[in-house]
Amino acid sequence: MAFCQNTADEKIIGIWKVKRVIHASDNANFKDVVNGFAVATFIFEKDHTFKITTNKNSKLFKMITDMANGKQWIKLNDSEIAVGSKKDGYSIMSIICKSENVFVFPETDLELEVEKQQ
């Protein structure tokens, strides 16, 4: 069963730190993105505002954070969180909740083990 399934927003709301990269694409073009996500923090605010931070902010990863930060997060279905706005159809970022501690990013074939901080 996916973590997001029948999960109240309160279980998603908070600060999630990446503990480790479980799987990443071997594509060299995504190396900077993977490195940024490997030390990222995801913030899901109660008002549904989203933010992502990292201490390895390459040019490409900065583009991701610039697009995603300050946008809204919504639960699309039982296992998926989408980030964006009504205007863009919440299409900036898709996060699959594989389990309580695993986020998958289908756009980049990236799977992260995360831990809730708050």
Side-chain angles (χ1 to χ4, degrees):
M1 176 188 288
F3 171 63
C4 292
Q5 186 172 0
N6 301 321
T7 298
D9 287 354
E10 288 75 32
K11 288 199 176 190
I12 297 168
I13 293 167
I15 298 170
W16 296 80
K17 282 187 98 104
V18 175
K19 291 180 68 176
R20 70 183 178 100
V21 175
I22 297 170
H23 175 76
S25 170
D26 292 334
N27 186 329
N29 295 328
F30 288 118
K31 183 180 179 192
D32 287 341
V33 173
V34 172
N35 289 340
F37 273 113
V39 292
T41 301
F42 301 90
I43 303 165
F44 297 90
E45 298 285 356
K46 189 174 187 173
D47 68 358
H48 285 252
T49 302
F50 177 81
K51 185 173 182 182
I52 181 172
T53 63
T54 186
N55 60 12
K56 290 195 177 181
N57 211 2
S58 67
K59 186 176 180 179
L60 185 56
F61 199 86
K62 184 172 179 352
M63 286 174 46
I64 294 169
T65 58
D66 287 349
M67 287 189 309
N69 285 350
K71 297 296 193 251
Q72 297 291 298
W73 65 270
I74 61 168
K75 286 178 17 182
L76 283 184
N77 56 46
D78 290 345
S79 63
E80 187 173 5
I81 297 170
V83 175
S85 66
K86 283 184 183 180
K87 185 177 179 180
D88 65 31
Y90 298 95
S91 62
I92 291 175
M93 185 180 293
S94 176
I95 304 169
I96 306 294
C97 303
K98 189 172 177 180
S99 70
E100 187 170 347
N101 289 47
V102 177
F103 289 170
V104 177
F105 298 82
E107 298 93 346
T108 58
D109 196 25
L110 184 62
E111 189 169 333
L112 304 173
E113 180 181 353
V114 294
E115 181 175 61
K116 191 171 186 181
Q117 306 297 298
Q118 294 180 0

